[in-house]
Amino acid sequence: MDIKSLTDQYIFNTYKRNPLVIKRAKGSWVWDEKGKKYLDFFSGLAVSGIGHALPPVLAAIQSQSKKLIHASNLFYTEPAALLAEQLCKRSFAKKVFLCNSGAEANEAAIKLARKFGSKDGRYEIIVFENSFHGRTLGALAATAQPKFHEGFGPLPPGFPVAKFNQIDSAERLINPRTTAILIEPIQGEGGIRPATRQFLSDLRALADRHGLLLMFDSVQCSLGRTGDLFSYETYGVVPDVMTLAKGLGGGMPIGAMLGSAKVADVLGPGDHGTTFGGNPVCSMASLAVLKMLSPKLLKNVKHQGQAIVKEIEPLARFPFVRELRAVGLMIGMELTLPGAPFVEACRKRGLLINCTQGNVLRFLPPLALTDAERRFALDILRQVFRHGGQK
């Protein structure tokens, strides 16, 4: 069976896929249809942060699937209630909206922000250059990268764009229509660009001063990725709203919007909904993931992140490397060359990485990365860089 041909024939061509058919995965590794093994240094785009097919997650999925796979949100279910409880107890949140993806979590945040400001005629949400919040029309309108907008206009209005890490730029956009500020603490698709601690602190003060909501899109940069459970803890700045997805389900599709006491009563019956949100199987998988995100694992993230940066710094001295940026196990190397050949050269040697923005190599290693796995990855990167990204 030719999986590539079947895919090209029957699935909309919305992805520029790597020429690799993944048949199975375990821990930090994936295997193709020929049995070749690859280190997943991208964690399935941060979805499999704790690793692929780990026993606690599999056990949760298998156990719950024998009891209840789906129930309408017109009824109560134990898994959704337990997951919401844990998310609140382990964060600043008082209420949770469970959905299926990061884009949906951000859509929920956008709707909540507009409802929050509706009584005063406020609806604008300040966003930032190079942001990425999802592919649905609302999340796309909030995504301040014009290349994603082409062919999909007119987009919903109300998303003025400020410069990232420039507080004056955000402050100038505030007007009587402003209801919220939406930001990724670390821009992922934007090229692994971290906000500064001072910038997020200033945004918090700005939001408080003007009665705005501060909303963190933490879809890619939370759930252990920075070395803390949530990225707001890394920065010491607490938002009013936070969105999660990707690593939350250990591979199962689930997202969440978390809200503080300030917004706990903003949405009422009929204001928002989702058919599959809080799915029992996905919720139990997420509970297993949260249990696995222990202090020991988070300590490993910090250790391995520091070790990678130290060991990769010599590569950053190559003339075609512009900058190295990293927080925990969220690492980007901006090149002066196209990054695609480097991605392909790594794949041919057994290492899966990614390129975003055309020239930023993005590394999102598994959170339980071992020293041996780190050395394996760095050896391949050294080979590839010595050859300038050539195969």
Side-chain angles (χ1 to χ4, degrees), residues 143-154:
T143 293
Q145 295 191 55
K147 66 181 180 181
F148 292 115
H149 298 170
E150 294 175 8
F152 300 107

Side-chain angles (χ1 to χ4, degrees), residues 102-298:
E104 290 177 68
N106 285 330
E107 286 282 349
I110 290 167
K111 287 185 69 175
L112 181 143
R114 287 199 168 190
K115 185 72 183 297
F116 175 79
S118 62
K119 64 181 181 297
D120 302 316
R122 296 183 293 146
Y123 64 91
E124 287 189 353
I125 300 171
I126 295 171
V127 296
F128 295 88
E129 289 182 350
N130 288 317
S131 58
F132 184 87
H133 298 293
R135 303 281 189 168
T136 52
L137 278 179
L140 188 62
T143 293
Q145 295 191 55
K147 66 181 180 181
F148 292 115
H149 298 170
E150 294 175 8
F152 300 107
L155 295 176
F159 297 93
V161 180
K163 294 185 179 298
F164 196 66
N165 277 331
Q166 294 187 26
I167 192 63
D168 291 346
S169 176
E171 189 164 13
R172 281 195 297 269
L173 294 175
I174 294 176
N175 64 73
R177 299 181 299 276
T178 310
T179 187
I181 299 168
L182 173 61
I183 188 169
E184 300 157 275
I186 304 166
Q187 292 182 336
E189 291 295 324
I192 312 296
R193 299 181 185 278
T196 66
R197 180 182 293 264
Q198 186 63 54
F199 181 59
L200 291 186
S201 179
D202 288 345
L203 284 180
R204 176 71 273 175
L206 189 65
D208 291 340
R209 193 158 61 246
H210 291 275
L212 312 178
L213 298 182
L214 179 60
M215 307 196 299
F216 284 179
D217 175 348
S218 294
V219 167
Q220 188 171 143
C221 63
S222 270
L223 297 162
R225 183 56 54 187
T226 64
D228 293 292
L229 183 58
F230 302 115
S231 57
Y232 80 84
E233 296 173 295
T234 303
Y235 283 93
V237 178
V238 181
D240 302 301
V241 176
M242 175 174 67
T243 57
L244 303 172
K246 290 194 180 292
L248 181 59
M252 298 295 284
I254 190 166
M257 176 191 71
L258 284 64
S260 69
K262 183 190 296 186
V263 298
D265 298 321
V266 170
L267 297 177
D271 282 340
H272 199 41
T274 168
T275 297
F276 295 100
N279 172 270
V281 179
C282 295
S283 294
M284 291 307 293
S286 295
L287 280 166
V289 169
L290 289 175
K291 289 179 182 177
M292 295 178 69
L293 290 170
S294 64
K296 181 179 179 181
L297 182 61
L298 297 176

Side-chain angles (χ1 to χ4, degrees), residues 93-111:
K94 297 299 180 184
K95 292 288 176 108
V96 175
F97 177 82
L98 296 173
C99 52
N100 310 291
S101 67
E104 290 177 68
N106 285 330
E107 286 282 349
I110 290 167
K111 287 185 69 175

Side-chain angles (χ1 to χ4, degrees), residues 69-86:
I69 292 178
H70 172 74
S72 166
N73 280 318
L74 296 175
F75 304 99
Y76 294 90
T77 62
E78 182 180 13
L82 293 176
L83 175 58
E85 177 189 35
Q86 282 302 306

